[in-house]
Amino acid sequence: MSRSTFAKHMLKAVWPILLCVLGLSGGCRREEIAPGIGEPERLTLGAFSVMREVLHDGLIPEFIRQRTETGKKPVHFEESYLASGALSRAIQGGFDADVALFSLDPDVEPLVKAGLVASNWNAGPTNGHVVRTLVVIGHRPDNPKRIGDWVDLTNPGVSVVYADPKTSGGARWNLMAVAADGYWPNGVLASATPMNPAGAEKLLADIQRNVSVMDPSGRQSLATFLRDSGDAIVTYENDLVQCERLTGRPMPYVIPNRTVWIEIPAVEVIATTQVNGRSELAREFLAFLGSESAKPIWARFGFRPVSGTGDAEGLPPVPQGVVRIADMGGWKLARENIFGPDGLWSKSFLERAAKPAENAPAENEK
Amino acid sequence: MDIVVRNLSKRYGNFQAIDDVSFSIPGGQLVALLGPSGSGKSTILRAIAGLETPDSGSIELVGEDATNLPTQRRGIGFVFQHFALFRHMTVRQNVAFGLEIQKLPKTEIKERVDELLDLVQLTAFAERFPLQLSGGQRQRVALARALAPKPRVLLLDEPFGALDSKVREELRLWLRRLHDESHVTSLFVTHDQQEAFEVCDQVVVLNKGKIEQAGPPQELYENPASPFVTEFLGQVNILRPETILGMDLDDEKPLPVPIPGSNSGTIYVRPHDLEICRTRGDLPGWPALIRRLTPLGWLARVELTLPDGTSVHVQITQATSRELGLESGQEVYVRPRDLKFFDHTTEESGVVNYVI
Amino acid sequence: MSSTSADRPVPLGGLLLRWSCLSYLGVVVLFPLTAVVIRALSAGPVRLWKEIVNPFAWHAIRLSLTTALVMVAISVVTGTATAWVLARYEFPGKGFVNALVDLPFAVPTIVTGLMLVALFGPSSTLGVVLSGFGLPVIYEQSGIVLALLFVCYPFVVRSVQPVLENLDPAEEEAAATMGAGRWLIFRKVTLPALVPSIVSGAGLSFSRALGEFGSVVIVAGNRPLSTKTAPLYVYGEVEGFNVDGAMAVSLVLLTCSLISLVAASKLAERQG
């Protein structure tokens, strides 16, 4: 390999990662707002890292604009972005967020237990979720390996990339979408049919056989895919949309017929709002996040509305067979069934290890 | 002739290490290459061993042209100044090394090693490692190791240079005896004139990469062919030709030596070739002042100043000194028994050897 | 005796130096290691054993040990050869090459991983050619070895080179005069003199390789029971809140490291 091609490859390999690291990583920042009438109200917002762009660049400015239009007091946001689990632990440890957005329900549960969040937080029509996204399959431009659904990932010669469910929470929900397809054959109504664990185990094992890289996090997995490794990546739809925004590289994807909704809960941390007297503002902001006017902004960043079919402007239509985690028994049971010590995931590995002849990893053919 | 070197030359950058050297050594002899450091003696030895590649010239070993032969096939034994024993091998393994390369039968190797260890008187140390031996013992192991494969020629590079003087003297005599028994043709590099004289049959004196003179030690001492050899072999007083005139104070007493024709030469007189008299007597001589008298056991060293300011030193026996009643500060007469004059105007061997 | 310290300031200084060096070693190295060991042992032997023989953990440990051993086997040969070339030959640009040897220490290991993927990965020309021959490197076990080779490259070179430079050529010359050929000289004379330094370089490389994370995480593919090494397994267990499992495997890594380092230094001592 010549020097210049080497340099080119290096650059090609490194720049998307740099972009991702700079663009997607969380952090704290204070937003200074031009002084309006009287003392501005304050709202402390905690959210998981992926939310940074859509909140900071899209929703918060729109919320402030709408309030200014209606002649309300200006709001000063204090934003803090952390990994979802870390955010939950931080709030338990005393971080005084008024409103918090998590990547999944289980991160809210300890806050309810600690009395920091109202126990009826998920009682509403949207079950406490403000927005949702889908587990999808990203592929190369022009789809050279003709990937249309999960089963195509089991084809010989297809190299698959996803994050390690051991270290990445996101990866666990990605693989739940795979499991869902194995649980229920195509066309079957999920809510009315019992789950078929053997089918899920087989599909998980068959796809895993084609996996070339399992990075520790979803972000690293995306970076690996951007380095031209793998023919397909299993990840969230909003991640691919956001990646395309940041890198400018087309990130085509398909939505499998059977996949799962990743529903994003947003809660008022009553322990904080009640002390600071910001309950009203917090609820107003939460209502805004689920409002009609927020939908196009969410959609621009790859998120879909909680209500209705979930179709959103600029995003592909939602297929029929999408299930909710609730259909799989809820977060806890689903996780236990698949990733517990005796779960399908571990079992599929150990059975394969017992039959090493089938253990041959996928070849990377370009 | 076991070793024949013809027109050997070697340069290192601007430094001419060997300059057209030729000599030959008959079988069974022990010959010294003697010279100061930088005279090229080690380079010649290493070239004969094949450890250095000469720029030009040829080397013949026991009738075979060895110029382009690799070291391994020259059939030589080599003894290094710093022993170069294999430190991770025992004495026995060291001595057996060359024999094992020849793939001799085990029993034969053992026999030969035992024989050599006996020869160098180290049988009791066979299972020791080199680091557990004294310097003298190590060099004896090195010698046994070099002799074990029965080399055609033994080459020794300052073999005693790293030893203290007492051990060195012992080993010299021992080496001479060893050679008298084994008769392997040996070439011995040293900068120590006494060592060369004591051990070797023939001496080749080197200077600046060239041979100054070669021959039996005594012959070189008595008839040096050049100022360098004269100066290098033993002590000598260096006098200017005019100084001779200073002897001729009395017209009636003729000089015992003819005045050299040329003024651009140098006169050499060895300290033991000068005679001291309290009175002038019948023979010519320089008047001189005793500056210092140093008794050295059975010898005495007398430092004198001649009328023209030249200082000379004289060696006499302590007995003679006592007989003459010499003291420093005395005025005496000093007379050469033998002197050598080298004429600078004639390039080569401008030597006039005067024996009185 | 009242003025002891004034009379003999040197022994006191020496004592102080020894004391402070040992304390430093204790604080910087020994304390954290002890903490790991204590934390691991607190789980109890039964739990530890279960965590170690867990098929995923056991495979990761075996993979780490084998890849490290393969790397050491290759490094010992290439490192000694490199040291040989640097010590014995003169060539233009030698100073540059000499400086280059240490560079793997300076490169952040994650960059090493990215570089290797760019060079040998599925999208590189070389990677395509190698895959064509059925020898894919990146995301395979051979990729792990490759990363370890790069990361540990300086160890053997730098421990052998000075020894080789200070070796008296006379021993080799002596062997040559006795008829030994080049290869025999190297085997019987030079190599034994180098063994202590090779062994110590190998020990260091092995230990370093067992713990290597940054480059391996990029090139290995991290598939459980296939290309997931012990450090990656430990990371996964920590993230999955199975601290006992992480500690158990760490303890195994630590023990292997310690054994290799002590064995190397003992062996080097005996040979020297």
Side-chain angles (χ1 to χ4, degrees):
Chain A
M1 177 177 282
S2 78
R3 216 183 172 74
S4 64
T5 35
F6 171 68
K8 214 173 78 194
H9 274 281
M10 274 300 286
L11 208 67
K12 219 167 136 191
V14 171
W15 75 262
I17 299 153
L18 283 177
L19 269 179
C20 279
V21 168
L22 292 175
L24 302 178
S25 65
C28 297
R29 67 164 63 185
R30 280 168 174 276
E31 189 70 358
E32 294 302 329
I33 292 293
I37 317 116
E39 192 70 6
E41 289 190 73
R42 288 175 176 276
L43 195 70
T44 305
L45 177 64
F48 63 104
S49 312
V50 175
M51 289 283 120
R52 202 186 75 107
E53 287 251 307
V54 60
L55 286 172
H56 184 77
D57 299 338
L59 294 164
I60 290 173
E62 174 63 16
F63 180 64
I64 290 167
R65 195 188 61 77
Q66 284 185 15
R67 272 181 68 97
T68 320
E69 261 179 17
T70 51
K72 288 185 187 160
K73 269 191 182 175
V75 186
H76 178 96
F77 274 89
E78 273 179 27
E79 301 158 49
S80 194
Y81 299 98
L82 291 167
S84 188
L87 177 64
S88 174
R89 285 192 289 274
I91 293 172
Q92 290 170 60
F95 169 49
D96 57 346
D98 299 302
V99 170
L101 280 82
F102 298 98
S103 64
L104 38 109
D105 288 4
D107 286 332
V108 184
E109 279 154 26
L111 302 180
V112 176
K113 269 191 198 138
L116 304 173
V117 168
S119 57
N120 66 344
W121 69 276
N122 53 1
T126 61
N127 303 101
H129 303 128
V130 287
V131 76
R132 54 185 176 173
T133 186
L134 288 164
V135 175
V136 299
I137 308 170
H139 56 74
R140 299 290 168 199
D142 302 329
N143 204 353
K145 300 277 177 172
R146 306 194 164 277
I147 290 154
D149 208 339
W150 296 116
V151 70
D152 300 325
L153 298 185
T154 66
N155 291 341
V158 173
S159 161
V160 181
V161 169
Y162 49 62
D164 186 349
K166 200 89 199 173
T167 46
S168 160
R172 287 198 276 272
W173 319 130
N174 289 338
L175 293 181
M176 269 182 202
V178 175
D181 194 36
Y183 278 151
W184 298 290
N186 228 335
V188 161
L189 189 63
S191 48
T193 317
M195 295 187 282
N196 171 16
E201 188 190 322
K202 182 169 188 317
L203 188 60
L204 282 169
D206 288 349
I207 293 179
Q208 175 66 30
R209 190 170 299 130
N210 274 347
V211 166
S212 59
V213 193
M214 294 169 75
D215 283 301
S217 76
R219 181 119 328 124
Q220 281 165 290
S221 191
L222 206 52
T224 296
F225 191 66
L226 282 169
R227 282 198 299 271
D228 291 336
S229 291
D231 302 307
I233 181 170
V234 181
T235 187
Y236 293 175
E237 182 181 32
N238 72 289
D239 273 341
L240 290 174
V241 171
Q242 185 155 356
C243 192
E244 191 170 296
R245 285 172 61 88
L246 287 173
T247 63
R249 279 174 65 171
M251 302 292 286
Y253 59 89
V254 295
I255 305 174
N257 278 319
R258 180 81 73 193
T259 184
V260 296
W261 282 116
I262 305 299
E263 296 159 314
I264 289 157
V267 296
E268 174 195 354
V269 185
I270 50 170
T272 315
T273 52
Q274 281 171 2
V275 171
N276 296 343
R278 297 178 188 165
S279 205
E280 197 183 325
L281 182 61
R283 280 176 203 166
E284 187 187 335
F285 183 64
L286 282 173
F288 164 75
L289 292 181
S291 71
E292 281 302 313
S293 58
K295 272 182 189 168
I297 300 173
W298 282 116
R300 229 173 40 237
F301 288 84
F303 292 95
R304 294 169 180 271
V306 186
S307 54
T309 57
D311 283 321
E313 199 188 325
L315 296 176
V318 178
Q320 293 295 314
V322 183
V323 298
R324 297 183 58 223
I325 294 293
D327 299 325
M328 301 170 78
W331 290 105
K332 227 181 210 162
L333 193 62
R335 188 164 60 183
E336 194 62 27
N337 284 341
I338 297 168
F339 299 108
D342 302 316
L344 301 177
W345 174 253
S346 309
K347 255 164 72 188
S348 76
F349 266 105
L350 295 177
E351 276 162 25
R352 267 204 307 144
K355 296 180 281 179
E358 287 175 41
N359 207 1
E363 302 267 317
N364 275 317
E365 283 162 24
K366 236 195 131 188
Chain B
M1 289 293 153
D2 272 5
I3 303 176
V4 180
V5 170
R6 284 196 200 92
N7 308 104
L8 206 65
S9 287
K10 172 91 186 169
R11 270 183 100 80
Y12 295 107
N14 286 327
F15 176 65
Q16 188 77 43
I18 318 175
D19 191 359
D20 197 26
V21 165
S22 303
F23 62 88
S24 52
I25 293 168
Q29 284 213 339
L30 202 163
V31 176
L33 286 178
L34 176 65
S37 67
S39 60
K41 56 192 189 304
S42 278
T43 312
I44 294 172
L45 196 76
R46 291 172 61 82
I48 294 170
L51 298 173
E52 300 283 347
T53 316
D55 298 336
S56 59
S58 69
I59 293 159
E60 208 175 276
L61 293 175
V62 200
E64 182 190 6
D65 179 19
T67 315
N68 296 316
L69 220 54
T71 304
Q72 285 84 349
R73 289 174 44 209
R74 294 198 183 196
I76 49 159
F78 203 105
V79 177
F80 294 82
Q81 182 176 4
H82 296 284
F83 325 127
L85 294 177
F86 307 132
R87 69 193 89 175
H88 57 279
M89 296 184 199
T90 61
V91 167
R92 174 175 292 282
Q93 287 167 332
N94 263 282
V95 177
F97 187 85
L99 302 170
E100 274 163 9
I101 286 167
Q102 294 180 351
K103 301 213 162 71
L104 296 179
K106 281 239 157 63
T107 50
E108 204 172 310
I109 293 178
K110 189 176 181 315
E111 258 171 50
R112 177 80 178 138
V113 172
D114 285 340
E115 182 189 323
L116 276 154
L117 287 177
D118 187 47
L119 185 71
V120 299
Q121 296 146 21
L122 285 171
T123 310
F125 298 89
E127 303 312 322
R128 296 237 188 139
F129 285 93
L131 283 174
Q132 298 167 314
L133 301 178
S134 73
Q137 289 168 332
R138 284 186 217 179
Q139 200 55 301
R140 268 147 58 198
V141 175
L143 225 107
R145 184 179 68 174
L147 288 173
K150 298 191 176 155
R152 299 186 288 184
V153 168
L154 182 65
L155 306 170
L156 305 104
D157 190 1
E158 300 258 14
F160 308 138
L163 304 171
D164 59 52
S165 62
K166 195 164 179 303
V167 179
R168 190 151 60 200
E169 250 159 68
E170 276 172 30
L171 277 185
R172 272 181 208 161
L173 297 173
W174 177 82
L175 177 68
R176 184 64 233 188
R177 280 204 309 276
L178 191 75
H179 183 262
D180 289 341
E181 286 171 33
S182 68
H183 292 293
V184 57
T185 311
S186 306
L187 194 54
F188 183 104
V189 159
T190 180
H191 66 275
D192 183 335
Q193 176 250 132
Q194 201 183 336
E195 190 163 282
F197 277 38
E198 227 170 273
V199 176
C200 299
D201 304 318
Q202 301 274 334
V203 174
V204 178
V205 180
L206 287 154
N207 181 34
K208 293 179 181 160
K210 282 180 188 274
I211 295 182
E212 290 275 342
Q213 196 176 358
Q218 199 56 32
E219 166 80 23
L220 296 189
Y221 188 77
E222 284 167 5
N223 297 308
S226 67
F228 176 81
V229 176
T230 319
E231 281 180 55
F232 194 69
L233 302 181
Q235 292 172 314
V236 71
N237 289 299
I238 302 168
L239 305 173
R240 282 170 289 133
E242 306 91 270
T243 313
I244 297 290
L245 297 170
M247 296 169 80
D248 190 24
L249 286 174
D250 194 337
D251 293 337
E252 294 161 25
K253 305 247 157 67
L255 278 173
V257 291
I259 300 164
S262 159
N263 266 4
S264 65
T266 312
I267 294 164
Y268 293 90
V269 188
R270 300 220 179 264
H272 53 77
D273 283 338
L274 286 164
E275 194 179 7
I276 296 175
C277 312
R278 293 293 301 276
T279 55
R280 169 163 268 193
D282 291 338
L283 292 164
W286 296 294
L289 186 69
I290 300 180
R291 292 258 310 285
R292 181 195 272 252
L293 183 68
T294 317
L296 302 164
W298 66 280
L299 278 177
R301 180 188 163 93
V302 190
E303 284 169 52
L304 300 164
T305 311
L306 298 186
D308 65 349
T310 316
S311 70
V312 293
H313 74 268
V314 182
Q315 240 171 25
I316 53 174
T317 63
Q318 186 60 31
T320 314
S321 166
R322 212 174 294 127
E323 209 173 280
L324 291 169
L326 299 184
E327 274 172 42
S328 56
Q330 263 176 352
E331 284 218 22
V332 290
Y333 293 91
V334 61
R335 201 164 65 84
R337 277 189 292 260
D338 186 4
L339 60 79
K340 286 161 196 77
F341 175 75
F342 291 98
D343 191 344
H344 294 320
T345 48
T346 54
E347 258 306 302
E348 266 174 53
S349 64
V351 56
V352 187
N353 210 356
Y354 303 96
V355 180
I356 303 167
Chain C
M1 291 305 282
S2 60
S3 58
T4 309
S5 61
D7 288 341
R8 303 198 297 178
V10 178
L12 185 73
L15 201 67
L16 203 71
L17 183 68
R18 259 173 289 170
W19 187 84
S20 47
C21 276
L22 288 178
S23 324
Y24 181 79
L25 181 77
V27 171
V28 173
V29 180
L30 218 53
F31 280 14
L33 289 183
T34 315
V36 170
V37 172
I38 288 174
R39 173 64 188 81
L41 294 178
S42 70
V46 179
R47 181 74 211 269
L48 275 186
W49 181 247
K50 265 185 133 168
E51 288 292 351
I52 291 167
V53 296
N54 163 324
F56 293 95
W58 186 235
H59 183 273
I61 292 169
R62 268 182 18 232
L63 178 63
S64 272
L65 291 177
T66 43
T67 48
L69 280 175
V70 170
M71 178 280 291
V72 165
I74 299 172
S75 263
V76 156
V77 176
T78 57
T80 308
T82 310
W84 181 275
V85 169
L86 287 175
R88 291 289 168 94
Y89 296 100
E90 290 302 324
F91 51 89
K94 180 174 161 179
F96 178 70
V97 172
N98 205 7
L100 215 61
V101 169
D102 289 326
L103 227 51
F105 280 163
V107 178
T109 48
I110 188 163
V111 175
T112 303
L114 293 177
M115 182 191 70
L116 289 176
V117 171
L119 260 178
F120 297 97
S123 63
S124 72
T125 323
L126 205 56
V128 170
V129 171
L130 286 172
S131 293
F133 285 113
L135 294 167
V137 174
I138 298 302
Y139 310 135
E140 297 302 330
Q141 296 181 353
S142 45
I144 302 173
V145 174
L146 196 68
L148 296 180
L149 278 172
F150 181 89
V151 170
C152 299
Y153 176 69
F155 284 113
V156 175
V157 181
R158 286 307 186 218
S159 55
V160 173
Q161 192 186 352
V163 178
L164 207 48
E165 274 165 0
N166 291 326
L167 212 61
D168 183 2
E171 278 185 46
E172 291 172 21
E173 291 174 350
T177 60
M178 285 179 272
R182 275 171 170 233
W183 175 238
L184 192 76
I185 294 173
F186 178 76
R187 240 173 20 144
K188 293 253 179 169
V189 179
T190 319
L191 196 59
L194 297 182
V195 162
S197 61
I198 293 176
V199 165
S200 90
L204 283 173
S205 309
F206 183 74
S207 278
R208 174 76 178 75
L210 279 189
E212 174 57 18
F213 182 89
S215 61
V216 173
V217 76
I218 304 282
V219 302
N222 314 326
R223 298 185 301 278
L225 296 182
S226 169
T227 58
K228 196 176 216 176
T229 63
L232 297 169
Y233 178 83
V234 168
Y235 177 66
E237 295 312 292
V238 169
E239 290 285 299
F241 302 108
N242 178 13
V243 182
D244 284 343
M247 287 297 169
V249 174
S250 302
L251 197 63
V252 173
L253 289 183
L254 214 61
T255 312
C256 292
S257 233
L258 195 68
I259 290 171
S260 85
L261 289 174
V262 170
S265 86
K266 282 271 176 244
L267 205 64
E269 215 170 84
R270 220 186 53 193
Q271 292 282 333

